[in-house]
Amino acid sequence: MVSVEDLAHSIWEDRMPADPPNQIAICVSKLRGRFQRTRTVRDLILTQPPGYLLTTRDAELDTQRVLALRVQADELAAAGDHAEAVARLDRALAQWRGPLLAGITRQAWRAEARVWEDTQVALRVKKADLQLELKQYEAVIGELSAFIQEHPFFERPRAQLMTALYRSGRQADALRLYRDTGQLLDEALGIAPGTELQRLHQEILKGAAPPGTEAPQVALVSAPSVPASPSAGGPCLLPRDVGEFVGREAEMANLVEYLRPKGRHVPIVELVGAGGTGKTTLAIHVGHQQRRNFPDGQLYVDLRGLDRDTVSPEEALARFLRELGIPVSDIPEGLDQRAEKFRALLTDKRVLIILDNASDAAGIRPLLPGTGGCAVIVTSRSRVAASFSAQVVELGGLPTEQALELLYRSSERERTDADRDAALRLVQYCGNLPLAVAIVGAKLAAKPHRTMRRLAERLADERRRLDELVHDSLAVRTTFELSYDGISTDAQVLLRRLSLLAVPDFADWLTPHLVDLGWNEAEDLVEELVDARLIEVTGRDRAGQLRYRLHDLVRLFGAERADGTEPESQRRAAVERTARAALARAETAHRTVCGGDYSVVRSGTSGFDGDNAFTEYEDTDPLLWYEAERTTLTTLVRQAAGHGFDNVAWDLAAVCRCLFSTRGHYEDWLATHQHALDAVRTAGNRKGEAALLLGLGDLHLDKGDFTRAAVLLDQAHTRFTEVGEDYGAALALRSAARVDRILGRYEQALERWQECLPVLTAHGDLEARTQVLSWLGLTLLELRDPEGAEPYLRQAEEVTRGFAGRVAGQVRLALADLLREQRRPQEAEAEYVRARELAAALGDVFGIGYADFGLGVVALERGQHTEARRLLSTCLQSARAVGDPLLEALSTFCLAGANGHDGRLDEAERQLLQSAAIYRDLGSPVRYARCLDAHAGVIDQQGGDAAEAVGLRTRAAAAVAGTGSPLAVRAFDRKAGSRYSLVL
C-alpha cells in the first residue's frame, strides 16, 4: 500500500500541482477504467486510506514471470540441461522490450529500476556463460555485440564477447574489442579494464586459448579469411574476401545454420536483395569463413543473370569440371552429361558452391550437387531457387549504425563528434544502401583532404546524386541499370512514372492509371518490379491495401530515365488519369463524411470511372482508404497543378477539404489548396479561385484565425458573385456568419444565415442547410431565446432524417444543448452520447471533443464535479491535440467552474485567466467578457480586492460595448443567466 502523499512526491517531486489528491484520484480512475476495459482482471487498485493498494492476485506480471523463469533456468543448469536453461533465460529476457521506465526521470523510482537493470545484465551474463559451454559462439557474438552498446560499462559481457570471438576464430576482433574497451573506460571513467579482461587479453596474445577453448567449428563474422586446412585438396574459386566485414551478423548466422548438413538433402540458401545490398560480398565472405567445413573445395561462378552475355549452365559446368581435375578432352558435350559427371564427382564430398547473380531456376538446376555433404549459396534479385526448397535470406539496407560503421571503415577515418552530423546525412543520402555507402567511403579515402561535410553538400543535390555515387569501377547507377535493362518495356514505363510521382510509398490501385493498362496487366508489372527488387513490398495498410516503396536512389534513377525517354504529353496524361482515379475514390470518402455531394463547389470534372477505377480492394472503407492515401492525395494535387490541370487539382483539393477538416489534417488542407490556387490563378479560372479561397477561409476558421478567415471568406464571396455562382456565394456567407458570431457580431451573423438559407435549400445541399439551421438555433440559445431556437433545431433534425453524415452528429449536439437549457439533463446526456457515437464512426475528432464537453457540462450541472473534471480534462487534452482553441477555451472555462464549486478558487482563477487569454487572442469579445466577469466572481468569493473585481467587470462591459452590437450586450447580460456562466 502506498499513501497519496508518497504517490504525489514520486510523481511530481518538487513541482506539486494545486490539488495533488484530486489529480491522483483522476489518474487512478483512468487506470481502473483501462483495466476494466481489458476484461481480464478486476479490482487491481483498492482504495485503502490514506492511499491505494495495488493487488496482483488476478494479474500476471512480467516481473513475476522473469523471477520464475530465472529459478527454472538455475535448476535446469544445475541438472546439466544447459540448452533448456538457455531457452528459459531467453523467455525471461524477452520480457524487456526497451529501457525500463524510458523517458521517466523521477528519483523515487530509479532505485527499483536499477535493480531490474542489474537483473537483466545478470540474466544476460548467465545465458552467455551457458551458450559458451554449448559452443554457441555465433549466438553469443550476435547478442552481446548489441548488448554492450546498450550497457557499455559492464565488463563481464565484454569478456564473454571476447571469448566467443576468439573461440570462433576471430582473434583480431577479440583484441580490437579489448582495445576499444580500454579506450572507453579511460575516456569515460579514467580507469583501466578489470582483472578478468586483462587476463583474457594476455592469454589471447600468447595464443593460449581461454578456458574451455577448442578449435572453432564455425567461423561466423568479421574475421580475416581462414586458410584451408593442410589436408584440403579441393579447388578454391572464391574471389578475394573483404578485409573487414561490417554488420549482417543475423544474416550470417542464418546462412551458416542453413549450410549445415541436412542428411541426404543438399542445403541450398538463396541470398535475395536489390542491387547494391551486398549479396555477393556476403556470400563470398561466408564462403571464406566456411572453407574448413568444406575441405573438398569451394566453387564459385558469376552467372551474370542480368547481363545480355549470361553464363550458360553448360559453360559453368565445364569450368567446374576443369577445376575438379577433368581434362578438357574428357568433358562431355551435352548439358545433361556434364551435370551427371559433376554430380558423380561430388558424391560423398564436402564442397561449397556459390552461384552468383542467378536469374532463373533453369540456370541453377544443372549446377546442383546430388548428395547432402555439399551445400549451395545462390544470390539473386528475385527468388529463383524457390522450387528447390531453398532457405531464403533477404537483404535490405543496413541499419543506420552499421551503415555509419561501414562509412568510417571504408573512408579510413576515425569517428568524431564533429563529423557525426555530416556522416548521418551521407548515410541518409545513400539510403543506407551498402554499395552507395562503400562508394562514398572509398571516395573519402581516395581524397583525404575532402571533408564529409563537403561531400554531403554535393550529395544533397538530387539531380547530381547518382553522378556522385561513382568511384573507380563502382557505380550505383550501373547496378540499377542491370535490373532496369532486364525488365519488360511496360515495367520500365511503370518504374519511370512511379519515380516521377515521387510519393514515399504507394498502393497498387494507382498503377493501372499510370500505365493505362488493365488491373491484371498492371498487377503483373508490379510483381515484375518486385522480383527485380526495384520496388519493395512494405506490407498492408489500414485499408488492407498492399503498399510498396521505391528506394530513394531507385527513384532518382527512374526519374533520370524518364527525363530521357518520357515525352511531356505522356507524363501529363499519366498524371491526369491517376489524379482522376484518386478523385473518384476521394468523392466516395467525401460522400461518406458529408452525407452526399454537399458543401463543395466543383468544376464539373469527373473522377475516373473506367474499368480500372478500383482493384480487389474496392469494398474498402473509404475513410480508411483516405487515411492511408493522404500523402498520395496531396502529391497528386501538386502534380496536377504543376502539369496545368487546374480543374482536376481544384476538384481534388475541394473534395478532400471536408476529410481534412474532420480529421484535423491542417497541413494537407493548406498544401492542397495552395497548389491548386496557384494553378487556377495561372489559368485565369475565377470560379476555381473562389472555391479555393472558400476552402482556405474554412481552414483558418477551423484553426481559430478568425481575422484571416474573414478576409478570405469575403474574397470568396466577391469572386463567386462576380462569376454568377450563387451557390458558392451562399457557402461563403454561411462560413462568414460563423466568424461574425464568434466575434460578437450577432446581428450580421443572423442576417447572413437568413440570406444564404434559401439558396442552399434551392440547390439541395442538405448538409449546408442543416448546418445553417443548427447555427441559427445555437445562436438564439446563446441570446437566451430557447423558444426561438427550438424550431430551427427541430427543422435541422428533420432534414437529417433523410441522409447520414457528420452533420447528423452536429445536430444531435445542438439538440442536446437545447435540452440542457430546458433543464432536461437526462435527455441531453443521451443526445451527447449519440452524437459521440456518430462522430466516432466517422473519425470526426472535433465532434468527439464537443460531445465530451457536453457530457462534462451535464455532470457539472448535476453536481458530479469529479466526473465533470474527468470529462472536461479529457476534452481539454483532445482540443489541444487537434488544435481547436475554441474548445480549449470552453473546456478550461468550465473546469474553472468545477473547481470554483469545490472551493478550489486559486485553481479556478488560474483557469479563468487561461480561458480569457485564449478568447482575447481569438478576438471573441463576449466570451472574453464572460471570463473576466467570472474572474471577478472568484475574487468576491475569496474576499479579495473589491477594486480589482470592479476593474474586471468594467473591462468586460467595455469589451462587449466595443462590438457595437445590442445582441452582444444581451448575450452577455449576467443578470439573465447563461449556459456559459455555469457556476461562477
Side-chain angles (χ1 to χ4, degrees):
M1 197 271 288
V2 61
S3 69
V4 171
E5 181 179 354
D6 289 339
L7 273 175
H9 178 72
S10 67
I11 297 171
W12 293 292
E13 296 182 342
D14 58 347
R15 298 182 298 277
M16 291 289 177
D19 188 2
N22 181 60
Q23 296 296 321
I24 289 173
I26 292 172
C27 294
V28 169
S29 176
K30 289 182 179 179
L31 282 173
R32 283 172 169 161
R34 182 165 294 182
F35 286 143
Q36 290 172 359
R37 285 193 294 274
T38 65
R39 298 182 180 177
T40 55
V41 293
R42 295 181 179 178
D43 300 323
L44 284 182
I45 304 176
L46 304 178
T47 302
Q48 289 194 0
Y52 299 91
L53 174 66
L54 176 66
T55 173
T56 59
R57 62 178 181 272
D58 295 326
E60 183 181 8
L61 300 182
D62 48 11
T63 52
Q64 293 175 341
R65 190 179 300 119
V66 166
L67 296 176
L69 288 168
R70 182 174 67 178
V71 170
Q72 294 170 19
D74 288 340
E75 293 172 351
L76 288 164
D81 192 350
H82 292 177
E84 186 57 32
V86 168
R88 300 299 169 89
L89 291 170
D90 257 334
R91 289 168 57 190
L93 289 165
Q95 304 307 309
W96 276 269
R97 298 176 180 86
L100 197 66
L101 302 180
I104 297 176
T105 59
R106 301 297 184 266
Q107 294 301 315
W109 301 334
R110 293 313 304 159
E112 184 71 7
R114 180 68 182 185
V115 168
W116 285 102
E117 289 172 356
D118 292 341
T119 299
Q120 182 187 21
V121 174
L123 292 172
R124 182 71 67 179
V125 167
K126 177 67 175 177
K127 178 186 172 186
D129 280 339
L130 294 172
Q131 288 174 310
L132 289 172
E133 292 181 19
L134 292 168
K135 303 176 186 176
Q136 296 175 351
Y137 306 135
E138 60 267 34
V140 174
I141 293 169
E143 294 171 7
L144 290 188
S145 294
F147 187 77
I148 65 172
Q149 300 301 319
E150 300 171 4
H151 304 274
F153 301 117
F154 287 97
E155 292 191 32
R156 177 62 181 151
R158 288 177 174 268
Q160 292 172 315
L161 179 55
M162 283 179 65
T163 302
L165 289 167
Y166 184 82
R167 292 185 188 178
S168 61
R170 295 175 56 184
Q171 177 179 344
D173 284 342
L175 294 173
R176 184 183 297 107
L177 175 60
Y178 178 81
R179 184 180 68 247
D180 293 343
T181 301
Q183 183 178 355
L184 170 71
L185 295 175
D186 180 60
E187 292 177 354
L189 305 175
I191 61 174
T195 303
E196 181 182 16
L197 283 172
Q198 292 184 32
R199 175 186 55 78
L200 188 57
H201 180 231
Q202 290 301 316
E203 288 175 345
I204 293 174
L205 287 174
K206 294 174 183 177
T213 297
E214 300 177 7
Q217 299 300 307
V218 178
L220 276 179
V221 292
S222 296
S225 300
V226 179
S229 62
S231 61
C236 177
L237 304 185
L238 298 175
R240 183 181 65 86
D241 192 9
V242 294
E244 291 189 61
F245 198 86
V246 175
R248 303 295 194 199
E249 287 86 358
E251 291 89 345
M252 281 190 281
N254 287 334
L255 267 173
V256 170
E257 178 60 32
Y258 295 153
L259 291 174
R260 294 184 188 280
K262 302 293 189 299
R264 293 176 300 171
H265 300 289
V266 178
I268 302 174
V269 188
E270 186 171 20
L271 269 174
V272 180
T277 51
K279 301 180 297 298
T280 299
T281 302
L282 176 57
I284 292 170
H285 182 65
V286 171
H288 279 286
Q289 301 307 309
Q290 291 291 292
R291 286 185 61 194
R292 66 178 67 244
N293 293 321
F294 296 94
D296 296 315
Q298 304 85 41
L299 303 177
Y300 170 88
V301 62
D302 182 357
L303 297 173
R304 299 201 298 270
L306 297 177
D307 292 358
R308 290 188 174 88
D309 183 21
T310 61
V311 175
S312 68
E314 293 92 337
E315 182 182 350
L317 284 169
R319 294 182 190 180
F320 286 166
L321 290 173
R322 286 196 302 270
E323 293 298 331
L324 291 170
I326 303 300
V328 174
S329 59
D330 292 342
I331 296 176
E333 287 296 325
L335 173 61
D336 291 343
Q337 292 79 9
R338 289 182 181 184
E340 289 173 359
K341 193 169 191 68
F342 179 62
R343 290 193 296 271
L345 284 173
L346 297 187
T347 301
D348 298 327
K349 297 272 182 78
R350 295 279 294 148
V351 175
L352 175 64
I353 303 167
I354 298 180
L355 306 176
D356 197 14
N357 291 315
S359 62
D360 55 47
I364 297 172
R365 185 175 289 107
L367 307 179
L368 300 179
T371 56
C374 298
V376 181
I377 300 176
V378 179
T379 75
S380 61
R381 300 196 182 187
S382 60
R383 297 191 178 196
V384 299
S387 59
F388 309 125
S389 300
Q391 297 283 356
V392 177
V393 176
E394 289 268 3
L395 294 187
L398 287 170
T400 297
E401 286 303 318
Q402 291 185 9
L404 286 171
E405 181 65 27
L406 175 59
L407 175 63
Y408 282 113
R409 291 196 190 184
S410 301
S411 62
E412 300 178 355
R413 301 197 182 196
E414 296 294 329
R415 290 177 180 267
T416 66
D417 291 339
D419 280 343
R420 173 75 179 181
D421 178 65
L424 280 170
R425 285 190 287 128
L426 284 172
V427 166
Q428 178 186 354
Y429 294 145
C430 292
N432 289 39
L433 190 70
L435 173 62
V437 175
I439 289 173
V440 169
K443 293 184 75 168
L444 289 168
K447 298 183 181 295
H449 58 279
R450 179 72 58 81
T451 66
M452 288 189 174
R453 186 177 303 278
R454 177 56 188 145
L455 186 53
E457 290 171 353
R458 292 172 67 93
L459 284 175
D461 184 353
E462 288 192 347
R463 296 168 299 177
R464 291 182 43 82
R465 190 172 300 165
L466 291 177
D467 293 329
E468 292 290 339
L469 293 176
V470 177
H471 182 72
D472 290 340
S473 61
L474 299 176
V476 169
R477 182 185 284 110
T478 302
T479 297
F480 295 151
E481 283 173 344
L482 288 172
S483 295
Y484 181 82
D485 292 342
I487 60 178
S488 66
T489 301
D490 285 341
Q492 291 176 348
V493 172
L494 178 56
L495 178 69
R496 295 197 299 266
R497 292 179 183 171
L498 286 169
S499 300
L500 292 172
L501 191 61
V503 290
D505 57 28
F506 63 93
D508 43 13
W509 64 266
L510 57 74
T511 56
H513 312 290
L514 286 174
V515 290
D516 199 20
L517 291 173
W519 162 242
N520 291 332
E521 293 86 349
E523 185 179 38
D524 291 341
L525 296 181
V526 170
E527 290 302 317
E528 189 176 349
L529 293 177
V530 170
D531 288 343
R533 289 305 187 273
L534 289 168
I535 63 175
E536 61 178 312
V537 181
T538 61
R540 292 192 182 273
D541 57 31
R542 293 178 58 191
Q545 304 175 121
L546 275 173
R547 298 202 77 80
Y548 307 85
R549 69 177 291 271
L550 281 77
H551 190 281
D552 286 346
L553 296 179
V554 174
R555 176 179 58 80
L556 295 179
F557 172 82
E560 185 178 87
R561 282 304 177 101
D563 285 341
T565 58
E566 288 277 333
E568 180 63 21
S569 60
Q570 293 181 9
R571 296 190 197 188
R572 296 183 77 252
V575 168
E576 183 181 22
R577 286 192 305 269
T578 309
R580 285 179 181 272
L583 178 58
R585 287 167 169 251
E587 286 170 340
T588 302
H590 171 90
R591 287 191 289 269
T592 301
V593 169
C594 296
D597 293 313
Y598 303 135
S599 300
V600 60
V601 178
R602 298 281 301 276
S603 72
T605 299
S606 63
F608 187 86
D609 58 0
D611 294 337
N612 296 341
F614 301 100
T615 67
E616 60 179 306
Y617 311 114
E618 61 183 88
D619 294 331
T620 296
D621 183 321
L623 297 183
L624 292 180
W625 177 86
Y626 156 72
E627 285 287 356
E629 301 296 346
R630 279 170 51 205
T631 301
T632 301
L633 291 168
T634 302
T635 300
L636 284 171
V637 171
R638 174 173 53 80
Q639 292 264 7
H643 283 285
F645 297 114
D646 55 300
N647 282 339
V648 177
W650 152 27
D651 281 346
L652 188 53
V655 164
C656 289
R657 180 193 59 78
C658 72
L659 303 172
F660 297 145
S661 173
T662 301
R663 305 299 175 95
H665 297 150
Y666 295 138
E667 291 183 1
D668 298 310
W669 190 345
L670 180 61
T672 55
H673 278 61
Q674 285 182 331
H675 287 307
L677 183 61
D678 290 341
V680 297
R681 281 177 169 167
T682 299
N685 189 332
R686 302 285 282 174
K687 181 178 176 181
E689 181 182 6
L692 292 163
L693 289 171
L694 171 61
L696 288 169
D698 282 338
L699 166 63
H700 289 286
L701 177 55
D702 276 14
K703 291 178 65 176
D705 186 351
F706 301 119
T707 301
R708 180 63 177 154
V711 171
L712 289 165
L713 292 169
D714 283 345
Q715 290 176 351
H717 183 265
T718 300
R719 298 289 190 281
F720 278 129
T721 301
E722 290 170 352
V723 297
E725 177 59 57
D726 64 333
Y727 172 59
L731 288 175
L733 275 184
R734 174 202 60 162
S735 296
R738 288 179 61 200
V739 176
D740 291 332
R741 178 191 171 193
I742 293 166
L743 300 183
R745 302 193 293 252
Y746 293 96
E747 291 87 353
Q748 183 164 302
L750 294 172
E751 181 182 344
R752 283 177 160 177
W753 279 324
Q754 293 289 358
E755 180 182 348
C756 70
L757 187 57
V759 179
L760 298 174
T761 302
H763 281 269
D765 189 334
L766 298 181
E767 183 188 51
R769 177 188 173 196
T770 304
Q771 287 174 331
V772 170
L773 290 170
S774 296
W775 293 331
L776 280 166
L778 288 172
T779 303
L780 291 173
L781 275 182
E782 189 175 358
L783 295 172
R784 299 179 176 83
D785 183 8
E787 291 78 13
E790 185 165 10
Y792 287 113
L793 297 179
R794 293 302 178 188
Q795 188 179 351
E797 180 185 26
E798 184 63 31
V799 175
T800 58
R801 296 185 193 280
F803 75 103
R806 62 175 176 173
V807 74
Q810 294 169 350
V811 169
R812 303 254 72 83
L813 287 173
L815 286 170
D817 285 351
L818 173 65
L819 291 167
R820 266 189 40 240
E821 191 69 29
Q822 293 173 339
R823 304 295 187 265
R824 298 156 66 183
Q826 188 170 352
E827 295 172 72
E829 183 178 38
E831 291 289 3
Y832 284 130
V833 170
R834 178 59 180 150
R836 196 184 196 286
E837 292 171 349
L838 292 171
L842 295 175
D844 182 356
V845 293
F846 299 95
I848 293 170
Y850 281 94
D852 284 340
F853 170 75
L855 290 169
V857 174
V858 168
L860 186 57
E861 292 177 337
R862 284 175 168 170
Q864 299 169 343
H865 301 155
T866 299
E867 177 65 6
R869 275 192 293 271
R870 182 187 71 79
L871 288 165
L872 291 169
S873 295
T874 299
C875 181
L876 179 59
Q877 293 171 5
S878 174
R880 289 171 175 168
V882 301
D884 187 341
L886 279 177
L887 183 57
E888 180 182 357
L890 272 174
S891 304
T892 306
F893 182 88
C894 291
L895 276 170
N899 285 316
H901 262 313
D902 285 346
R904 299 185 178 92
L905 298 180
D906 288 342
E907 181 68 9
E909 185 174 17
R910 182 183 65 81
Q911 289 168 334
L912 286 170
L913 286 170
Q914 291 175 349
S915 184
I918 296 172
Y919 283 133
R920 181 194 63 228
D921 294 341
L922 293 176
S924 183
V926 175
R927 301 181 187 200
Y928 171 65
R930 291 183 187 125
C931 292
L932 297 180
D933 189 62
H935 188 185
V938 170
I939 292 174
D940 291 342
Q941 291 183 58
Q942 290 174 320
D945 187 347
E948 182 182 0
V950 169
L952 288 168
R953 292 189 172 101
T954 301
R955 287 165 54 196
V960 174
T963 65
S965 166
L967 290 181
V969 176
R970 175 178 163 187
F972 174 66
D973 184 4
R974 67 176 67 92
K975 296 179 181 178
S978 168
R979 67 191 187 98
Y980 290 95
S981 300
L982 294 167
V983 287
L984 298 175

